Amino acid sequence: MFRRLSSLKVSRMRGFSALVQTKALVNGNWIDSSNRQTFEVKNPANGEVIGNVPDMTVEDAQQAIDAAKQAYESKEWRALTAKDRSNMLKKWHSLIEEHAQEIAEIMTAESGKPINESKGEVVYGNAFVEWFAEEARRIYGEIVPSGQPNREVIVMKQPIGVAALITPWNFPLAMITRKAGAALAAGCTVVVKPSEDTPLTALAVAKLAEQAGIPKGVINVVTTKKAAPIGELFCKSPDVRGISFTGSTQVGKLLFRNSADGIKRVCLELGGNAPFIVFDSANVDKAVDGAMASKFRNCGQTCVSANRFFVQEGVYDKFVTKLKERVEALKIGDGKCGDVQIGPLINQMQYDKVSGFVEDARNKKANIIVGGKGLQEVGDLFYAPTIVTDVPTSAHIYTEEVFGPVVSIIKFKDEAEAVQKANDTKRGLAGYFYSENLQQVFRVAKRLEVGMVGVNEGIISAPEAPFGGVKESGVGREGSSHGIDDYVDIKYICMGNLKYD
């Protein structure tokens, strides 16, 4: 069945120690928490402790906010030209590119994702730094024809101020650069709160930002296990003018509510429940390729992973057979091994969730045709890539985001049924479908209630494209020219009593 690779013991960061930081970054200083508390960062593949970082307090986070506010108001940042900010971001991009291998190794050690995926994330995440370095010089205003004589209407865009960025563990570099790149390009300063599971990647790229010459206080990184009180501080502080969060819908709603009193700018990229539809008109081989790419990247732990697979009757058996062959051939093990394709789940909570969802489906008479169990002989947090068919609509894997290597397949009869089932969820982040029928492509793409659609494609994220969802999957967009919007205010200037005689 699965090819299992023995877990390798990860060295203590030999060869790239200069990028491994054991302190947080506030106002250009690498500091401990005020109470001297730390927490361990572990490799999920083998449980080995790979580092300790400060467990910062609310008071520490307030100092980071103060530093960001001071930096925003200083001549070293607010008064910079767009070209100056662009050049600094370009230097940051070059340094990340130069240290790509070291960053990827740090990422694999703390997240468990295969090293080739980590290398890919460095390239992908760094592309946002490059993109927003270029966008910094294209934050255009307008001159609007006035309806009154002797009057001019001018519209300009200005930075909102301090932005708090709360990022997840599954893409520990890209989720920072996608947010910080846009904020810095706009002229904002930031306080980053990375996931407690993957703080080392965040600190490494912050170190490179410092080396790129970005002034002190412009980027601050607060490492902590006290996410709730620090998140509340971000929401309620009058000095934080924007919140950008990627994570669960439940936490996103809480941040949204807590930010209401301050009428803050809020960008939320929340959970999904992505449909993956395979029509009779599809190229089945391409659909299987797309399914593997979408579902099993980072062990299924991505917000845009395909979650519910709807396959039309005419190609159902062929698709399931081919997918099963590909799933059984996946190589599982420590992500440090170059040919590993599936690593561990991030922590025990995630492992319990995935295994619980599969057991729930099993108890509700779903058919588990491959996988469906833990792989403790490989490691405590490894779960076998799994295919479940005949999934009832009451099963958790149908109604909720799995965030793991589990494919749930449902057979359907016609297009209308597929679209109805795909939209039968409160979430609306991404959706995928495969069809060679051009008319069907346009019909279904328009009818899917999601923010992003992959047509005959399983990987859709790109710095040039707007990333975000609808319904309970969030508000705002990241990446693309729209990614700047959440970090700027639009100011209208009316110039009256002008004389043109």
Side-chain angles (χ1 to χ4, degrees):
M1 190 172 287
F2 304 108
R3 294 181 61 187
R4 298 166 183 167
L5 303 179
S6 61
S7 177
L8 297 181
K9 190 173 183 178
V10 175
S11 68
R12 285 192 170 273
M13 304 301 182
R14 287 194 300 270
F16 48 91
S17 58
L19 276 186
V20 177
Q21 307 301 310
T22 59
K23 298 180 184 294
L25 179 62
V26 175
N27 199 29
N29 300 311
W30 294 92
I31 64 173
D32 295 312
S33 65
S34 56
N35 61 11
R36 299 292 175 177
Q37 296 293 312
T38 64
F39 63 92
E40 296 177 337
V41 182
K42 294 183 178 181
N43 184 339
N46 53 28
E48 179 181 307
V49 176
I50 58 174
N52 293 271
V53 296
D55 189 10
M56 302 188 81
T57 65
V58 170
E59 290 74 24
D60 297 326
Q62 181 61 57
Q63 289 183 20
I65 294 171
D66 293 342
K69 181 182 179 183
Q70 182 179 354
Y72 173 69
E73 294 175 346
S74 74
K75 292 182 179 179
E76 288 186 332
W77 192 247
R78 193 171 188 176
L80 288 181
T81 66
K83 182 178 181 180
D84 289 335
R85 291 196 302 273
S86 175
N87 287 338
M88 286 187 184
L89 287 171
K90 288 177 181 177
K91 289 179 183 178
W92 191 24
H93 171 267
S94 295
L95 286 169
I96 293 174
E97 188 173 53
E98 179 182 338
H99 294 276
Q101 179 67 30
E102 299 122 286
I103 297 170
E105 291 173 2
I106 294 171
M107 190 186 303
T108 288
E110 67 177 348
S111 74
K113 67 170 58 181
I115 187 65
N116 288 332
E117 289 191 19
S118 293
K119 291 177 182 177
E121 182 183 339
V122 176
V123 174
Y124 167 66
N126 203 21
F128 287 101
V129 180
E130 180 181 42
W131 173 265
F132 286 116
E134 296 165 347
E135 285 296 295
R137 301 184 67 180
R138 294 194 285 265
I139 304 175
Y140 298 137
E142 303 169 69
I143 297 178
V144 181
S146 173
Q148 301 292 328
N150 303 324
R151 177 183 290 183
E152 294 290 346
V153 174
I154 299 172
V155 177
M156 64 173 58
K157 295 180 180 180
Q158 295 181 310
I160 61 173
V162 177
L165 315 179
I166 305 174
T167 61
W169 48 263
N170 57 337
F171 288 93
L173 183 143
M175 296 303 97
I176 291 173
T177 55
R178 194 162 74 184
K179 299 174 189 296
L184 299 182
C188 297
T189 57
V190 301
V191 180
V192 182
K193 205 283 306 168
S195 166
E196 65 191 63
D197 290 306
T198 55
L200 297 177
T201 302
L203 294 172
V205 295
K207 181 68 175 178
L208 295 177
E210 181 183 58
Q211 293 177 12
I214 293 177
K216 67 177 185 178
V218 173
I219 297 179
N220 305 273
V221 182
V222 175
T223 58
T224 185
K225 296 191 77 172
K226 304 177 182 68
I230 288 180
E232 183 176 7
L233 171 67
F234 289 162
C235 293
K236 295 186 177 180
S237 169
D239 294 325
V240 175
R241 295 309 311 150
I243 302 279
S244 182
F245 169 75
T246 297
S248 72
T249 299
Q250 180 181 5
V251 174
K253 289 180 178 180
L254 180 62
L255 294 171
F256 209 7
R257 283 193 292 267
N258 285 345
S259 298
D261 286 345
I263 317 295
K264 296 186 190 299
R265 192 72 58 82
V266 178
C267 179
L268 303 174
E269 192 266 282
L270 308 179
N273 192 3
F276 189 104
I277 307 171
V278 183
F279 290 104
D280 284 346
S281 61
N283 180 312
V284 173
D285 290 329
K286 290 181 180 179
V288 171
D289 288 342
M292 296 298 295
S294 176
K295 179 73 254 185
F296 293 106
R297 185 168 52 124
N298 197 19
C299 198
Q301 298 172 115
T302 81
C303 54
V304 292
S305 285
N307 207 53
R308 299 164 297 148
F309 286 70
F310 301 103
V311 184
Q312 198 161 8
E313 292 175 329
V315 295
Y316 181 88
D317 291 338
K318 183 178 180 181
F319 177 84
V320 171
T321 298
K322 287 179 175 288
L323 184 65
K324 181 174 180 290
E325 291 174 355
R326 293 283 296 276
V327 169
E328 289 178 331
L330 287 169
K331 298 177 183 180
I332 304 165
D334 192 315
K336 191 178 181 183
C337 301
D339 55 353
V340 161
Q341 297 164 293
I342 298 289
L345 295 166
I346 187 64
N347 54 36
Q348 190 64 47
M349 181 184 299
Q350 191 61 26
Y351 179 90
D352 292 342
K353 175 186 174 182
V354 172
S355 60
F357 276 16
V358 174
E359 289 309 306
D360 170 73
R362 196 194 310 269
N363 292 336
K364 291 175 179 175
K365 309 304 180 184
N367 181 28
I368 298 173
I369 65 171
V370 65
K373 62 180 181 179
L375 299 174
Q376 275 65 41
E377 66 272 26
V378 182
D380 290 341
L381 298 179
F382 287 83
Y383 196 84
T386 299
I387 299 177
V388 186
T389 60
D390 304 319
V391 179
T393 57
S394 61
H396 290 316
I397 59 173
Y398 184 91
T399 59
E400 300 178 41
E401 185 177 33
V402 177
F403 234 63
V406 181
V407 175
S408 58
I409 303 181
I410 301 97
K411 186 185 295 185
F412 71 90
K413 293 183 178 181
D414 56 34
E415 180 183 306
E417 179 188 0
V419 172
Q420 184 275 321
K421 287 183 174 179
N423 290 339
D424 187 21
T425 173
K426 294 180 180 180
R427 311 287 174 84
L429 188 57
Y432 309 86
F433 70 91
Y434 278 72
S435 171
E436 299 288 297
N437 182 324
L438 186 58
Q439 295 185 45
Q440 185 174 56
V441 164
F442 279 98
R443 284 197 308 268
V444 176
K446 289 181 178 181
R447 292 173 183 171
L448 286 180
E449 296 172 356
V450 295
M452 300 172 286
V453 181
V455 182
N456 298 326
E457 180 57 64
I459 302 292
I460 59 176
S461 301
E464 303 86 358
F467 191 103
V470 299
K471 299 195 285 191
E472 291 189 7
S473 285
V475 293
R477 290 295 181 270
E478 295 183 329
S480 80
S481 59
H482 301 287
I484 297 286
D485 294 348
D486 286 306
Y487 301 100
V488 294
D489 288 322
I490 295 176
K491 178 178 285 186
Y492 153 51
I493 302 172
C494 178
M495 302 182 67
N497 293 298
L498 299 175
K499 292 184 178 181
Y500 293 107
D501 298 330

